[in-house]
Amino acid sequence: MNGIDGTERTDGATATGPGMLRRLLRAFEEAAPGEGLAQIADRLGIDRTEAADLAAYWVRKGRLRREEIAAVDCSGCFFASRGCTTCPDDSTAVPRPTLVALTPVRPRG
């Protein structure tokens, strides 16, 4: 079978085929603590955008849980990330980048 760039793959799975979907899910299940989508994509030899699309499939199927961790940065205050509401208005609040965590969900049964 051909890879995403038309080259022959040695593992028998195309980048977009069911084999790669299963490999990506298995990689998440076996991932080391702190290993993210970028590292998994690199390990599997696929483009990070492609890996994100494949992960989105597993999120829709309920096999990966997607959690967004974000808060406003209230002048760099530590408590801003803990839901502090002492800022008088939103004029000092600056949106921070969102951290997205993907974790495997074990099937029940």
Side-chain angles (χ1 to χ4, degrees), residues 64-90:
L64 288 178
R65 180 177 35 250
R66 184 179 194 275
E67 298 175 74
E68 290 187 16
I69 305 164
V72 294
D73 187 0
C74 214
S75 304
C77 174
F78 169 79
F79 296 103
S81 64
R82 303 291 185 248
C84 171
T85 58
T86 60
C87 292
D89 59 42
D90 289 334

Side-chain angles (χ1 to χ4, degrees), residues 22-83:
R22 286 188 293 275
R23 287 184 63 212
L24 182 92
L25 181 60
R26 191 172 331 113
F28 269 101
E29 292 170 344
E30 298 170 353
E35 187 175 21
L37 183 64
Q39 293 86 6
I40 289 173
D42 291 346
R43 185 161 33 99
L44 294 176
I46 60 175
D47 182 76
R48 292 175 185 185
T49 303
E50 183 74 21
D53 291 343
L54 296 173
Y57 169 85
W58 288 119
V59 169
R60 286 190 306 274
K61 292 294 185 180
R63 296 294 304 271
L64 288 178
R65 180 177 35 250
R66 184 179 194 275
E67 298 175 74
E68 290 187 16
I69 305 164
V72 294
D73 187 0
C74 214
S75 304
C77 174
F78 169 79
F79 296 103
S81 64
R82 303 291 185 248

